[in-house]
Amino acid sequence: MQDKRIIAIHLPQFYPFKENDDWWGKGFTEWRNVTQAIPRFLGHYQPHLPADLGFYDLRLHECRQAQIDMAKQYGIHGFCYYHYWFSGKLIMEKPVEMMLADKREDFPFMLCWANANWGRNWEGGHNITLIEQKYSDEDDIAHFEYLLPFFKDPRYIRINGKPVFGVHRSDYIPDFEKSIGIWQRLAAKEGFQLYICRFEAGGFIGEKYQTSSVDAAVEFQPFNMGRFWQMHNLLSRGLERVFKRSVKSAHLSYKSYVKYKCKQAICQDYKLYPSVFPSWDNSPRRLKRPYLAFTGSTPELFKEWFEHVYTQFKPYSEDENLIFINAWNEWAEGCHLEPDLKNGTGFLEAVKYVIDKYSNSL
């Protein structure tokens, strides 16, 4: 018996679409960033190249099904797909819409609205907006109507009968409470309520952001580092004084971070679902900008951290038992459970090992 549900965050980006053609060149997908990555320092592990699943195209049922089969094999309960909505404009929607229509793809899922503006960050143009979020009551209504078929799907992940919907940056929404109120009133007309999760990152962390419209928060790693990041900043400033130049990119020790996190209690002061990540290195997306890289990641260290979280996290109720992993397939951020040529299925095997170890003991 498994008393905790492991949810892997999923990026449905790996297929060509018009906007990427216009912005980055014909046929662009994130595989281009992945394969063009180069080592930036001695011992830097780049590029991350896929193994078992290859350079897939998520328009194909066979590719989506292979992801599902692999996730099931290693104990992942479901996917949390990023969802991109810009005032009625959809981006990267095709794989998720195809999954919704294809009942053969029998795997639990939920959606997280990635509601940040898009800019030309990958090539240094971080002040150039490609597509902007604009919020209004009318847009909230249209957005809910688009999402309704997903919420009604029997595969959709629920808590106490409520479809779980994530918002990546609730602080970006001018009147978040009002927007959630509109969605909940529309949901009530359909006979259900939503379970709203805000993803915690950056400076918007803590119980004070848990308003009446929010059911729970999700720890979004690695942008939830607390004192570990503060200690890194102190070290960086010291190096800048010694070398008389700015230390731009951040190289952090994955081993040190795991040791740090394993000494921390799992937050139970308010409803916060914990998360872990197997590795992180967004240098493929930051060719002309500072990047963040965790060095020395291994399946063994990831297993140590995941086991700590899995054993220490106490579900808030029978259904409120989610643990998130960032991510299933963020290849251009060096953050993926999917097998690569270096570690193979090692990170997935770590997940399965921990789940089997403690599920069998119940």
Side-chain angles (χ1 to χ4, degrees):
M1 178 182 176
Q2 183 179 344
D3 68 336
K4 291 156 189 171
R5 292 184 285 178
I6 311 304
I7 311 299
I9 297 173
H10 188 293
L11 177 69
Q13 204 273 11
F14 296 94
Y15 74 101
F17 51 87
K18 182 181 183 304
E19 289 78 12
N20 269 349
D21 285 350
D22 294 341
W23 296 333
W24 310 109
K26 189 70 173 176
F28 177 90
T29 74
E30 281 242 277
W31 291 130
R32 188 178 300 176
N33 284 335
V34 170
T35 57
Q36 290 180 349
I38 58 173
R40 307 286 190 90
F41 54 88
L42 185 64
H44 188 195
Y45 169 45
Q46 283 294 348
H48 289 219
L49 299 178
D52 302 39
L53 300 181
F55 295 96
Y56 50 73
D57 182 329
L58 288 179
R59 293 172 298 183
L60 301 176
H61 161 72
E62 292 81 3
C63 294
R64 300 190 305 272
Q65 189 65 54
Q67 289 182 322
I68 288 170
D69 293 342
M70 180 173 284
K72 286 181 176 179
Q73 178 183 353
Y74 290 97
I76 304 299
H77 174 79
F79 288 146
C80 173
Y81 292 103
Y82 282 130
H83 159 68
Y84 299 85
W85 168 280
F86 298 87
S87 303
K89 173 69 175 176
L90 291 160
I91 302 282
M92 300 196 304
E93 77 283 2
K94 288 294 185 289
V96 186
E97 289 182 351
M98 290 174 168
M99 175 278 300
L100 183 69
D102 194 334
K103 305 308 179 187
R104 293 174 296 174
E105 298 174 29
D106 187 16
F107 195 55
F109 73 94
M110 60 172 282
L111 300 176
C112 175
W113 184 19
N115 61 309
N117 296 339
W118 277 22
R120 294 198 72 88
N121 295 4
W122 296 348
E123 59 180 26
H126 52 278
N127 293 322
I128 302 173
T129 299
L130 296 174
I131 186 167
E132 182 181 6
Q133 288 286 1
K134 296 180 180 179
Y135 302 95
S136 68
D137 295 357
E138 295 75 18
D139 188 59
D140 288 336
I141 295 169
H143 193 181
F144 179 86
E145 290 174 348
Y146 171 79
L147 292 168
L148 186 57
F150 294 93
F151 294 149
K152 287 188 170 183
D153 192 276
R155 295 167 292 177
Y156 202 94
I157 294 168
R158 290 173 169 78
I159 290 177
N160 300 325
K162 301 176 181 180
V164 182
F165 186 66
V167 179
H168 198 264
R169 293 301 300 260
S170 61
D171 51 295
Y172 286 179
I173 301 176
D175 195 338
F176 183 62
E177 305 298 307
K178 185 178 182 182
S179 292
I180 297 303
I182 290 172
W183 290 347
Q184 294 289 27
R185 287 192 293 274
L186 293 171
K189 291 181 180 178
E190 298 291 337
F192 64 90
Q193 288 288 281
L194 293 170
Y195 189 99
I196 301 296
C197 288
R198 59 176 299 273
F199 279 51
E200 283 200 346
F204 295 88
I205 295 171
E207 187 173 7
K208 65 182 178 180
Y209 298 106
Q210 291 301 104
T211 61
S212 60
S213 64
V214 177
D215 293 282
V218 175
E219 184 185 39
F220 187 64
Q221 289 288 352
F223 299 101
N224 205 310
M225 287 188 267
R227 287 184 56 81
F228 188 87
W229 181 248
Q230 296 171 15
M231 290 184 289
H232 164 75
N233 283 340
L234 288 173
L235 176 61
S236 295
R237 287 196 289 270
L239 291 173
E240 288 172 1
R241 285 194 295 269
V242 171
F243 293 106
K244 309 299 183 184
R245 62 183 177 86
S246 175
V247 179
K248 293 183 178 180
S249 296
H251 303 158
L252 306 180
S253 166
Y254 186 81
K255 181 177 181 179
S256 296
Y257 190 56
V258 167
K259 299 300 182 186
Y260 167 80
K261 291 299 292 183
C262 287
K263 292 178 182 177
Q264 309 301 311
I266 302 298
C267 175
Q268 306 278 179
D269 296 335
Y270 59 101
K271 289 182 180 177
L272 174 67
Y273 296 117
S275 75
V276 295
F277 65 95
S279 57
W280 180 275
D281 179 358
N282 64 2
S283 62
R285 286 184 176 174
R286 298 292 188 269
L287 296 180
K288 298 180 181 179
R289 290 187 62 200
Y291 59 87
L292 171 64
F294 279 82
T295 61
S297 166
T298 67
E300 292 72 26
L301 287 168
F302 172 69
K303 180 170 69 176
E304 179 183 342
W305 184 14
F306 181 64
E307 185 169 11
H308 169 75
V309 171
Y310 194 89
T311 56
Q312 296 302 308
F313 172 58
K314 307 301 180 188
Y316 302 103
S317 68
E318 184 176 355
D319 277 0
E320 294 174 302
N321 61 353
L322 309 181
I323 296 174
F324 287 79
I325 298 178
N326 184 36
W328 176 259
N329 63 338
E330 281 278 12
W331 283 91
E333 293 181 335
C335 183
H336 49 86
L337 288 174
E338 288 182 337
D340 65 4
L341 293 180
K342 179 182 180 182
N343 294 299
T345 57
F347 291 111
L348 287 167
E349 290 169 11
V351 173
K352 182 172 173 54
Y353 171 86
V354 171
I355 292 173
D356 288 349
K357 178 179 178 179
Y358 293 98
S359 296
N360 293 336
S361 67
L362 294 176

